[in-house]
């Protein structure tokens, strides 16, 4: 045990002291938060106020276009040719667009024209069209004896609340929050198994090719060396995850404080402006800050409180470490069996395919967390670390969780035993192309 701790300490300290580890640990959350902060900053600060003239021959749209911080409307009453000439010749007027609404707009709603020196933005075009459409609808509804208020009153926004009902009583729950949390946890395990498992494999391969391992083996058993390396890299991964979470929260808080003065006294208007100017992902991130009562993102964040967060974190730590140990032992065995990175490709497919398949199964588990596919995939050790973490936020019977954990522990013991048998032979094997048949012989060698 002492030797394992020494190897663990060496693997951990060597990696966390690397400049690349320190730089990426601090840089990754900074880039993530900085990317969205820059987009929000640009969206808020780069939009200039535009002036639009409205020439309404029908007289139905007077004062229907409402001024905003970005758009100012003015109304003119003159022939279209004169208005076009004035718009073209008077470059210093500051007018960005001229909207012409014909007299027969009710019969020909597609005859609206927008004149501009350059193409207008989709937002401006859409706002003008929506205003005209709404006014035409109001006129036609009034002619039919129906007011806009009647239509608005007839619209019903149905919102349901999910409640867990069992022997313990009623408890508020949230399917949306469970889906988000489960998906994030599964994705983090999926990524960590690939990233840190590959680090174990490359670390073993580098020590083998440099012949350093020959010196280490003289004082440490192969099994102790392998376990120390696996546990050390696992702690490196946990350290990096914790630092990423803490730094992301810190940077988000700092960005929110920095944007406080920029947003000003009307945060809702600014947020709507940002959402219009940003891509879908950025708009979703920006809407999280919206104080609106009906904001779905705000409601989802509030619904997280209905989940048993300590229970989910405990399960995540177990399956994160369990999945990592299960696969990193196999990655370590591959690293010991080959002499260079190029030779690892033939052995990587049987290891990576179950990981990819488990992430594929997780998509179905999100849709039906209690279905047969989700159940069996959360029991098999090859797929359970990812699939079970999708199911945990939805609520899993205690016996299923215990069975899954027990099978995963047995699977870890099996893969570690198998990897140790390959590791003890392969770590000192040089200059030989290894096949699956050869690996099978190594397992039963008596040393």
């Amino acid at each position: 045990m002492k030797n394992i701790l020494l190897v663990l300490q060496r693997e951990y300290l060597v990696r966390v002291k690397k400049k690349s580890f320190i730089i990426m640990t601090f840089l990754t959350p900074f880039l993530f938060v900085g990317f969205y902060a820059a987009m929000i900053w640009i969206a808020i600060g780069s939009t200039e106020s535009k002036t639009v003239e409205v020439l309404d021959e029908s007289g139905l749209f007077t004062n229907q276009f409402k001024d905003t911080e970005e758009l100012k409307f003015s109304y003119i009453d003159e022939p279209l040719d004169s208005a076009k000439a004035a718009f073209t010749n008077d470059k210093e007027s500051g007018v960005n667009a001229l909207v012409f609404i014909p007299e027969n707009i009710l019969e020909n709603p597609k005859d609206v024209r927008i004149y501009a020196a350059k193409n207008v933005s989709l937002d401006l075009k859409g706002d003008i069209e929506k205003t005209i459409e709404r006014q035409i609808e109001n006129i036609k509804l009034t002619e039919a004896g129906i007011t806009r208020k009647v239509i608005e009153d007839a619209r019903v926004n149905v919102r349901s609340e999910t409640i867990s009902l069992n022997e313990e009583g009623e408890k508020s729950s949230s399917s949306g929050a469970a889906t988000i949390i489960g998906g994030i946890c599964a994705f983090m395990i999926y990524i960590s198994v690939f990233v840190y498992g590959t680090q174990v494999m490359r670390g073993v391969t580098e020590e083998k090719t440099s012949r350093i391992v020959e010196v280490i083996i003289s004082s440490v058993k192969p099994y102790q060396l392998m376990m120390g390396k696996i546990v050390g890299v696992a702690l490196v991964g946990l350290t990096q995850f914790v630092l990423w979470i803490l730094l992301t929260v810190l940077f988000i808080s700092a960005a929110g404080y920095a944007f406080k003065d920029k947003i000003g006294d009307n945060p809702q208007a600014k947020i709507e402006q940002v959402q219009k100017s940003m891509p879908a992902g950025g708009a979703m991130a920006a809407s999280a800050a919206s104080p609106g009562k009906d904001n779905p993102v705000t409601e989802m964040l509030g619904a997280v409180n209905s989940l048993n967060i300590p229970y989910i974190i405990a399960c995540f730590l177990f399956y994160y470490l369990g999945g990592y140990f299960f696969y990193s032992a196999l990655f370590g065995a591959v690293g010991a069996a080959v002499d260079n990175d190029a030779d690892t490709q033939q052995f990587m497919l049987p290891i990576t395919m179950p990981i990819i398949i488990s992430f594929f199964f997780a998509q179905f588990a999100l849709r039906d967390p209690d279905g047969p596919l989700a159940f069996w995939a959360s029991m098999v050790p090859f797929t359970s670390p990812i699939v079970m973490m999708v199911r945990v936020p939805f609520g899993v019977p205690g016996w299923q969780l215990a069975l899954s954990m027990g099978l995963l522990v047995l699977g870890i013991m099996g893969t570690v035993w198998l990897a140790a048998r390959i590791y003890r032979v392969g770590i000192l094997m040089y200059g030989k192309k290894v096949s699956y048949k050869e690996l099978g012989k190594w397992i039963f060698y008596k040393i």
Side-chain angles (χ1 to χ4, degrees):
M1 186 65 184
K2 181 180 178 181
N3 290 336
I4 294 178
L5 292 176
L6 289 174
V7 176
L8 184 157
Q9 182 181 14
R10 172 187 173 273
E11 291 294 328
Y12 181 81
L13 293 178
V14 165
R15 282 173 167 78
V16 298
K17 288 182 178 179
K18 285 184 177 180
K19 290 183 179 179
S20 59
F21 175 87
I22 296 173
I23 292 173
M24 291 308 300
T25 299
F26 285 88
L27 192 61
T28 298
F30 177 78
L31 290 176
F32 175 78
V33 176
F35 173 75
Y36 283 109
M39 292 179 67
I40 294 172
W41 184 272
I42 293 171
I44 293 176
S46 63
T47 304
E48 298 179 354
S49 178
K50 292 180 171 57
T51 301
V52 178
E53 285 186 342
V54 179
L55 174 55
D56 179 19
E57 289 186 345
S58 66
L60 301 174
F61 297 89
T62 303
N63 299 324
Q64 292 301 316
F65 293 93
K66 303 301 181 182
D67 290 347
T68 64
E69 292 187 8
E70 296 80 37
L71 293 176
K72 307 295 181 184
F73 294 94
S74 63
Y75 296 85
I76 59 175
D77 184 12
E78 58 183 281
L80 177 59
D81 292 338
S82 301
K84 289 165 57 178
F87 177 79
T88 305
N89 298 327
D90 192 358
K91 300 296 184 182
E92 298 181 358
S93 62
V95 178
N96 301 99
L98 170 64
V99 178
F100 171 68
I101 303 175
E103 187 176 359
N104 61 341
I105 182 65
L106 296 179
E107 291 77 21
N108 297 294
K110 294 184 178 181
D111 284 351
V112 176
R113 302 175 208 167
I114 302 175
Y115 297 94
K118 301 183 294 185
N119 285 336
V120 297
S121 66
L122 287 176
D123 288 338
L124 175 59
K125 184 175 182 291
D127 289 341
I128 293 172
E129 290 175 350
K130 286 180 181 178
T131 301
I132 297 174
E133 287 173 358
R134 186 178 180 86
Q135 182 63 7
I136 292 176
E137 287 176 0
N138 288 338
I139 294 171
K140 291 188 175 182
L141 288 172
T142 302
E143 292 177 350
I146 303 173
T147 63
R148 171 65 63 177
K149 187 176 184 304
V150 174
I151 300 296
E152 296 295 339
D153 292 341
R155 291 176 180 172
V156 180
N157 187 12
V158 178
R159 295 282 180 92
S160 62
E161 179 184 2
T162 56
I163 299 174
S164 298
L165 182 62
N166 49 40
E167 295 82 0
E168 299 177 358
E170 297 182 5
K171 182 181 177 182
S172 177
S173 63
S174 172
S175 301
T179 300
I180 296 295
I181 297 297
I184 291 174
C185 291
F187 182 73
M188 291 175 68
I189 294 175
Y190 172 77
I191 292 296
S192 65
V193 168
F194 266 118
V195 173
Y196 299 111
T198 304
Q199 284 189 18
V200 172
M201 182 184 68
R202 289 179 177 174
V204 173
T205 304
E206 289 173 1
E207 290 181 351
K208 180 179 177 180
T209 54
S210 63
R211 302 295 180 98
I212 294 176
V213 71
E214 296 178 3
V215 179
I216 300 176
I217 290 298
S218 63
S219 56
V220 179
K221 293 181 180 180
Y223 173 79
Q224 295 174 335
L225 178 61
M226 184 186 73
M227 287 304 299
K229 188 177 293 292
I230 290 174
V231 177
V233 175
L235 293 179
V236 171
L238 281 176
T239 301
Q240 198 165 47
F241 271 132
V242 171
L243 289 175
W244 277 346
I245 293 171
L246 294 177
L247 290 172
T248 300
V249 172
L250 177 63
F251 290 148
I252 289 176
S253 300
Y257 181 79
F259 278 109
K260 185 177 181 181
D261 295 334
K262 189 72 175 176
I263 292 177
D265 298 328
N266 191 4
Q268 183 64 31
K270 291 294 185 182
I271 290 169
E272 291 176 357
Q273 176 185 341
V274 169
Q275 290 174 333
K276 285 184 178 181
S277 305
M278 293 173 64
M284 183 176 292
S287 65
S290 173
K293 181 179 178 181
D294 296 328
N295 191 319
V297 179
T298 303
E299 291 182 2
M300 183 195 68
L301 293 175
V304 171
N305 295 327
S306 66
L307 301 177
N308 191 342
I309 299 300
Y311 168 75
I312 294 174
I313 292 176
C315 291
F316 172 78
L317 291 176
F318 177 86
Y319 282 104
Y320 170 85
L321 293 174
Y324 167 78
F325 283 129
F326 185 88
Y327 281 102
S328 61
L330 298 177
F331 278 114
V334 171
V338 300
D339 291 336
N340 53 69
D341 289 338
D343 294 337
T344 63
Q345 302 304 317
Q346 61 175 322
F347 300 110
M348 288 290 289
L349 184 63
I351 300 176
T352 57
M353 279 303 296
I355 305 175
I356 297 172
I357 290 173
S358 63
F359 192 71
F360 178 73
F361 285 165
Q363 314 304 313
F364 291 95
L366 283 172
R367 300 178 183 177
D368 186 10
D370 295 319
L373 178 62
F375 170 78
W376 290 109
S378 62
M379 296 298 133
V380 178
F382 285 95
T383 57
S384 64
I386 294 176
V387 178
M388 181 56 84
M389 273 317 303
V390 170
R391 298 183 61 203
V392 164
F394 290 92
V396 178
W399 70 269
Q400 292 187 17
L401 187 63
L403 178 60
S404 174
M405 289 181 171
L407 291 175
L408 181 58
V409 170
L410 292 177
I412 293 171
M413 294 171 62
T415 56
V416 169
W417 176 85
L418 182 67
R421 305 287 293 185
I422 297 173
Y423 192 93
R424 63 184 182 141
V425 178
I427 199 67
L428 296 175
M429 188 74 68
Y430 299 97
K432 184 177 182 180
K433 291 290 184 180
V434 182
S435 62
Y436 286 104
K437 182 178 180 180
E438 190 71 20
L439 289 179
K441 293 180 180 179
W442 290 1
I443 295 173
F444 300 101
Y445 277 171
K446 292 182 179 182
I447 297 179

